[in-house]
Amino acid sequence: MIQDTVGKDNKNWHAQQVSEILKNLGVEPASGLPAEEVQKRREQYGLNQLTARKGTPAWMRFLLQFHQPLIYILLAATLITLFLREWVDSGVIFAVVVINAVIGFIQESKALKALEALSRTMTAYAVVLRNGKEKRISSSELVPGDIVLLCSGDKVTADMRMIQCRDLQVNESTLTGESVPVQKQIEALQTDAALADRINMLYAATFVTYGRGRAVVTATGDSTEVGRISELISSAESLDTPLTLKIAQFSHYLMYAILGLAVVTFLVGFLRGQPFVHMFMTAVALVVSAIPEGLPAVVTITLAIGVARMARRRAIIRKLPAVETLGSTSVICSDKTGTLTENQMTVQEIYSGGMRYRVSGVGYSPEGSIQNEQGEPADHSAALKECLTAGFFCNDSHVVQKEGLYQVEGDPTEGALLVAADKGRSLFPEGLPDFARIDSIPFESEYQYMATLHTLPDKSYVVYLKGSVERILSKCRYQLNSANEKEPLQRDKIEELAENMAQRGLRVLAFAKFHLSSHAGKIDHKDIPSELILLGLQGMIDPPRKEAMQALKNCYAAGIRVKMITGDHILTAKAIAGQLGFKSGPEAEESGELTALSGKDIEKLDEGEFEDCVGRTSVFARVAPEQKLRLVKAIQARGDIVAMTGDGVNDAPALKQANIGVAMGLAGTEVAKEAADMVLTDDNFASIEEAVEEGRGVFDNLTKFIVWVLPTNLGEALAVLCAVFTGAALPVMPVQILWINMTTTVCLGLMLAFESKEPGIMNRPPRDPDAPIMTFELVMRTLFVGILLVTGVFGLFLYEQSKGASIEEARTVAVAVLVIGELFYLFNCRSLTRSMLSVGFFSNRWLWAGISVMLALQMLFTYAPFMNLFFDSAPISLESWVLIFAVGVCIYALVGIEKWIRFHKKNKLEGY
């Protein structure tokens, strides 16, 4: 009889006996589900696929480009000038708005594809048992209660409970972060077993690496663990970057100030008897002059240049604002395997014949050697030779070379044993022996060892075993000594050595052998005696990357805290963290001991306790997907800007929640890449540190641009205000202001994006997320330069009129003063603290190219008849140009003096 618990969201399948599960799911293991029952369950639970979520349509994303306060003002100005039949002004203003919107739309990609990628991970085929017959079906047709047949190479496409198992191993790294395949079993587990420890369960988006088995489907579609992660991705917030938040805040303040000044200007002029239309156009001139129209475009282009620079440093940016966010990063949450480590298991230590040996070399490359504790080559140890031989023969994997890289086909642990044997080549002057394998006992979690039967040259037989230390020692009575002779097993000493190796994060395997004079052509567990000869221990680890160690030091020097988040065991995680040089959090006790938390520890903490622990904990092990998400949120709640790395499906929710998600390009799943803002092409933590450095440089250059552009707008606005309050004619017209703003922005301001990074950029702390872009000193400089510009503009404008120049000629001079003044001020903005001489006069070639283009355009503006007609400009004399350049030189000199005084005053206060 079919139970009513079929398909329900039962989180305790791993804690139930197989018979109880089959009864609850209403299925016979020998025949599977009948066809009519399959149809009922499909109607009730739907297809085995994730529910798609709709994204923002393209047309809406384009319209959102106009959803900015300053753009609203320009659009209003466009409509009103159009109504007043000021066709040129209206057309130019609208063209500027549309150009900015198109650039933003092209560069920005907001469509989230993570859920589509999750769906693709579940698109495959499965072999099921229905009506007593095996049938190959699409994975989308699976229903709760289906009996699925699995073998090596199969993708797991639903959540399942094992009911039969023969040496089944599953790679679950995409879901749990576990770096090695997991051996499966069918026995029930404790109810509180963590996801990574549920070795009787199979989960969607994982795949079988070895063995065979049968499992019953317990959850499909959105009810699977992958489906739950899909919900977490949807619930994770898409956060604005620090720069977008600051610019939005700045835009609102600027909007209120501009509108207020425009209203005051209009009222003052109107009350003084000026015509309505004239005063309205004057107010429009003020609005246009005060708004930095080119700011959105330059921000976008500067970020795009940062993207190109990062690509050269192996970091691909998927979402443009991520460039700047990197520069604000204060905490990096990094995965361990492959990011901080090589992702290549390596034997580092061997104990055999009463001696300990060190193994040099990293990864699967055969480069390296084996030395004793005195640093001497280990080429005379027969016991060590036997230990390496056992690891070589008791093995089902292969090391191959592809495109110059060594890779393992099979189990990474076995690959490490093959490489260790190769590094001990001096022990095998005639090469590794070729003992024919007759039979083997595959590794099973129940027995915790593997055994292989071989023929020796003298026609006798030997059985090599490898397995857990506990199980192998339980079957050993003897051990080989340094003279290659049997002696009584020193169990206590061996166990102490193994425990010491495990505490240092090494995965320890024991090796043994026994001889046979004859055999029956095969070997079984009952043939393994309890008088084995222990050959030794081999301890291996996924070693840390050397470049990651230096990158970690650079991060600490830059005030960036780093936290390791891994699915591995807590002892392994702490050992690797210690080797890398991880430091405890700033809130740790004075002892400075490296602190670590496991997923089970996290479950016991409430939000307040967890936030406190986050500040002092640097290592998090055996964490579940929702715990990674919770961790990122807790760090953000403390006011930090978080960069999160990951490569698996389980990392996707936290990658999306983080201020910047960093996915691995080599080992990363499509889900992780789609959820991330940045993808590393080399999966290396050092590339993150380099990307942070580039991000800081990008923010510096954006700040330089803002510091450069604001005085120009201020000077233009003050010129309009002065004209209104003094009753003088406008020195510059709205269309001329737009000419100045757009040409100088592209030709001059944009060139600041190509400035090199400031010295010591990684020796200063991260920016305070709450700190404004414009500090008090920069605001004062902006006012200072704005006053200098308006003084030069009005001074020469009135001087030209006093000489009898026409209004067009006087305005052309005023426009040139603003352009040349901006040009010379640009030299001051190449560094906010240093002079152009210390920066390097010709260190930015793009700067000089931009200046050349700007001067050529200004000549066209002044002397080309069609430009004179369109912009109401007129040719001016050489004497006027001399005075214009004199104003520019004065601005450069005065700002340089201000920088020098401020720099020396700051050094004096800091005690230099």
Side-chain angles (χ1 to χ4, degrees):
M1 183 173 124
I2 298 174
Q3 303 293 309
D4 60 4
T5 55
V6 174
K8 284 189 177 179
D9 186 18
N10 189 328
K11 297 184 182 299
N12 297 322
W13 294 112
H14 61 280
Q16 301 178 34
Q17 297 295 333
V18 171
S19 58
E20 182 183 359
I21 292 170
L22 294 173
K23 181 181 178 182
N24 287 337
L25 290 171
V27 61
E28 290 293 333
S31 59
L33 294 172
E36 58 273 14
E37 182 61 24
V38 170
Q39 185 61 34
K40 288 180 184 178
R41 298 190 184 190
R42 185 174 298 127
E43 292 174 358
Q44 183 176 359
Y45 304 109
L47 293 174
N48 178 34
Q49 57 190 24
L50 298 180
T51 303
R53 274 79 171 177
K54 291 184 178 180
T56 305
W59 62 268
M60 179 60 73
R61 287 188 281 117
F62 179 72
L63 290 180
L64 287 173
Q65 304 301 318
F66 298 91
H67 184 50
Q68 302 176 44
L70 299 181
I71 298 299
Y72 290 155
I73 299 176
L74 291 177
L75 287 174
T78 300
L79 292 175
I80 296 172
T81 50
L82 186 64
F83 176 75
L84 296 175
R85 299 188 177 184
E86 298 289 343
W87 311 118
V88 174
D89 291 33
S90 179
V92 173
I93 296 172
F94 185 68
V96 169
V97 172
V98 172
I99 290 170
N100 281 328
V102 170
I103 292 174
F105 179 75
I106 292 173
Q107 293 285 358
E108 183 178 346
S109 177
K110 295 182 180 178
L112 299 176
K113 300 177 182 178
L115 297 177
E116 295 176 16
L118 280 168
S119 296
R120 289 196 296 272
T121 67
M122 297 180 66
T123 302
Y125 293 91
V127 178
V128 299
L129 190 63
R130 290 180 177 171
N131 291 322
K133 296 181 179 179
E134 293 184 10
K135 185 179 181 181
R136 188 172 185 264
I137 63 171
S138 169
S139 62
S140 63
E141 298 178 26
L142 286 174
V143 297
D146 261 327
I147 303 296
V148 180
L149 286 65
L150 297 151
C151 62
S152 179
D154 285 347
K155 179 182 270 189
V156 181
T157 53
D159 288 0
M160 310 177 193
R161 173 67 156 84
M162 296 300 306
I163 59 175
Q164 292 181 17
C165 182
R166 175 68 176 175
D167 313 323
L168 193 77
Q169 295 181 23
V170 179
N171 186 322
E172 296 181 342
S173 60
T174 61
L175 187 67
T176 66
E178 180 67 58
S179 56
V180 295
V182 179
Q183 185 78 24
K184 294 297 179 178
Q185 66 172 43
I186 62 174
E187 287 77 14
L189 303 171
Q190 294 293 323
T191 303
D192 62 350
L195 185 70
D197 296 325
R198 296 175 189 174
I199 56 177
N200 56 12
M201 294 291 298
L202 302 176
Y203 295 105
T206 63
F207 64 92
V208 179
T209 60
Y210 187 79
R212 307 179 69 86
R214 290 191 179 194
V216 59
V217 175
T218 56
T220 58
D222 291 337
S223 298
T224 62
E225 286 293 322
V226 172
R228 189 169 58 83
I229 292 173
S230 166
E231 293 296 328
L232 290 174
I233 295 176
S234 299
S235 66
E237 302 174 20
S238 294
L239 301 177
D240 289 325
T241 71
L243 181 68
T244 55
L245 288 172
K246 288 184 176 70
I247 289 181
Q249 185 182 46
F250 170 75
S251 297
H252 279 89
Y253 291 151
L254 192 59
M255 178 184 70
Y256 297 139
I258 291 170
L259 291 178
L261 285 174
V263 171
V264 170
T265 301
F266 175 81
L267 290 176
V268 169
F270 186 70
L271 293 174
R272 294 182 60 176
Q274 296 291 333
F276 178 88
V277 173
H278 172 74
M279 285 314 304
F280 182 80
M281 290 306 299
T282 301
V284 168
L286 177 65
V287 168
V288 171
S289 65
I291 292 178
E293 296 91 346
L295 179 59
V298 169
V299 169
T300 302
I301 294 169
T302 304
L303 293 176
I305 292 170
V307 167
R309 285 181 172 178
M310 289 185 183
R312 292 194 291 270
R313 301 186 76 167
R314 301 168 296 280
I316 306 301
I317 301 296
R318 295 187 64 252
K319 300 175 183 178
L320 211 56
V323 178
E324 181 274 331
T325 310
L326 277 166
S328 309
T329 300
S330 56
V331 175
I332 298 176
C333 296
S334 177
D335 188 20
K336 177 184 74 70
T337 305
T339 307
L340 293 168
T341 64
E342 297 284 351
N343 197 20
Q344 295 186 339
M345 293 297 288
T346 305
V347 174
Q348 291 192 331
E349 189 171 327
I350 301 174
Y351 173 80
S352 182
M355 297 283 292
R356 296 173 70 168
Y357 301 92
R358 300 289 180 184
V359 185
S360 63
V362 174
Y364 302 129
S365 169
E367 296 177 2
S369 61
I370 302 176
Q371 300 175 333
N372 60 26
E373 291 182 288
Q374 288 73 43
E376 301 168 343
D379 52 5
H380 301 295
S381 174
L384 174 62
K385 180 178 179 180
E386 279 293 289
C387 184
L388 294 172
T389 300
F392 180 78
F393 283 116
C394 196
N395 204 306
D396 287 322
S397 299
H398 303 279
V399 176
V400 296
Q401 191 173 13
K402 294 180 180 179
E403 299 179 358
L405 298 175
Y406 290 91
Q407 302 175 10
V408 168
E409 293 182 348
D411 186 277
T413 299
E414 293 187 338
L417 298 176
L418 294 175
V419 174
D422 198 1
K423 291 176 181 177
R425 63 185 74 88
S426 60
L427 294 163
F428 304 93
E430 298 179 0
L432 288 162
D434 185 16
F435 299 161
R437 181 193 285 196
I438 301 170
D439 194 21
S440 67
I441 303 174
F443 182 91
E444 296 180 47
S445 57
E446 179 182 356
Y447 296 96
Q448 296 184 3
Y449 66 79
M450 174 185 178
T452 53
L453 172 63
H454 302 269
T455 303
L456 295 176
D458 63 0
K459 305 303 181 183
S460 64
Y461 306 97
V462 65
V463 175
Y464 289 113
L465 296 93
K466 78 166 188 289
S468 69
V469 175
E470 296 82 0
R471 184 52 61 95
I472 296 296
L473 286 182
S474 69
K475 290 183 171 294
C476 289
R477 179 175 294 184
Y478 306 101
Q479 67 184 44
L480 283 184
N481 60 20
S482 57
N484 200 29
E485 298 172 341
K486 284 196 313 182
E487 67 178 19
L489 179 69
Q490 300 177 22
R491 183 184 301 273
D492 292 343
K493 180 180 179 180
I494 302 298
E495 289 177 343
E496 182 180 350
L497 282 168
E499 178 65 22
N500 177 265
M501 293 167 74
Q503 287 178 350
R504 287 183 280 116
L506 297 175
R507 185 181 186 190
V508 186
L509 292 179
F511 300 84
K513 72 173 182 178
F514 69 95
H515 291 271
L516 293 172
S517 56
S518 63
H519 63 87
K522 62 179 182 178
I523 188 172
D524 204 347
H525 292 291
K526 65 179 185 301
D527 300 318
I528 306 298
S530 296
E531 298 183 350
L532 302 181
I533 303 171
L534 180 72
L535 303 177
L537 309 175
Q538 293 195 44
M540 63 192 70
I541 199 170
D542 181 11
R545 292 178 181 262
K546 290 182 179 179
E547 60 270 30
M549 297 182 191
Q550 183 58 48
L552 194 66
K553 291 180 182 178
N554 294 343
C555 285
Y556 286 134
I560 300 171
R561 303 187 301 281
V562 184
K563 299 182 184 296
M564 177 193 291
I565 305 176
T566 178
D568 276 346
H569 192 277
I570 193 168
L571 285 179
T572 303
K574 284 190 69 174
I576 290 292
Q579 292 180 37
L580 282 164
F582 267 76
K583 297 179 181 178
S584 298
E587 298 173 20
E589 296 178 1
E590 293 183 2
S591 64
E593 182 181 352
L594 195 62
T595 52
L597 283 177
S598 68
K600 285 187 176 181
D601 296 329
I602 294 173
E603 286 179 358
K604 300 172 184 177
L605 302 174
D606 60 32
E607 290 304 318
E609 293 172 328
F610 186 49
E611 284 190 23
D612 290 339
C613 287
V614 163
R616 59 177 179 268
T617 304
S618 299
V619 178
F620 299 86
R622 279 285 197 265
V623 288
E626 64 270 20
Q627 291 172 334
K628 292 184 179 183
L629 183 61
R630 183 185 175 194
L631 175 61
V632 171
K633 288 181 176 180
I635 298 172
Q636 289 172 333
R638 298 167 60 87
D640 284 300
I641 303 298
V642 182
M644 169 77 189
T645 75
D647 55 10
V649 174
N650 61 323
D651 297 316
L655 288 174
K656 185 184 174 189
Q657 174 66 37
N659 299 87
I660 176 165
V662 183
M664 303 298 109
L666 297 176
T669 60
E670 287 302 312
V671 180
K673 293 175 187 176
E674 293 294 346
D677 305 286
M678 183 174 85
V679 179
L680 298 183
T681 60
D682 60 353
D683 293 11
N684 194 334
F685 181 83
S687 296
I688 303 174
E689 183 264 333
E690 292 175 355
V692 169
E693 183 179 353
E694 289 292 346
R696 289 189 173 191
V698 166
F699 187 86
D700 279 356
N701 289 345
L702 283 173
T703 303
K704 292 172 186 176
F705 170 78
I706 293 172
V707 170
W708 171 82
V709 76
L710 289 185
T712 304
N713 296 106
L714 178 62
E716 292 166 348
L718 288 175
V720 174
L721 284 173
C722 288
V724 172
F725 281 93
T726 61
L730 285 178
V732 284
M733 298 299 291
V735 70
Q736 293 172 338
I737 291 171
L738 284 170
W739 162 265
I740 297 168
N741 289 354
M742 292 308 295
T743 55
T744 57
T745 294
V746 174
C747 299
L748 301 180
L750 183 59
M751 300 306 110
L752 292 172
F754 297 96
E755 286 295 329
S756 301
K757 293 184 290 294
E758 297 274 348
I761 196 170
M762 288 298 283
N763 291 327
R764 65 193 192 202
R767 293 192 320 275
D768 181 355
D770 297 326
I773 297 177
M774 296 291 289
T775 63
F776 176 77
E777 291 81 4
L778 295 180
V779 170
M780 290 298 100
R781 185 177 298 170
T782 297
L783 292 173
F784 179 54
V785 176
I787 292 171
L788 291 177
L789 281 171
V790 74
T791 302
V793 167
F794 244 99
L796 289 191
F797 177 72
L798 296 175
Y799 175 74
E800 290 291 326
Q801 284 187 313
S802 69
K803 291 195 316 177
S806 67
I807 189 69
E808 289 81 8
E809 291 172 331
R811 283 175 173 160
T812 302
V813 170
V815 169
V817 169
L818 286 168
V819 170
I820 300 303
E822 288 184 61
L823 190 156
F824 276 91
Y825 180 51
L826 184 72
F827 296 140
N828 297 113
C829 292
R830 294 188 62 194
S831 173
L832 299 180
T833 57
R834 299 180 297 143
S835 69
M836 189 177 72
L837 296 177
S838 62
V839 171
F841 203 73
F842 295 104
S843 59
N844 185 349
R845 294 175 299 172
W846 289 99
L847 183 78
W848 293 102
I851 289 173
S852 301
V853 173
M854 185 66 248
L855 291 175
L857 289 174
Q858 195 58 31
M859 292 300 104
L860 279 176
F861 176 88
T862 306
Y863 297 107
F866 73 94
M867 296 292 279
N868 297 156
L869 179 65
F870 192 79
F871 287 103
D872 288 327
S873 59
I876 58 177
S877 66
L878 179 61
E879 178 191 352
S880 297
W881 280 114
V882 172
L883 294 173
I884 290 167
F885 272 87
V887 171
V889 172
C890 287
I891 290 174
Y892 172 76
L894 290 171
V895 175
I897 293 170
E898 181 267 341
K899 285 170 62 175
W900 183 85
I901 293 172
R902 194 180 301 280
F903 177 75
H904 282 272
K905 183 179 178 182
K906 181 180 178 181
N907 283 349
K908 186 176 181 180
L909 289 173
E910 293 178 354
Y912 291 102

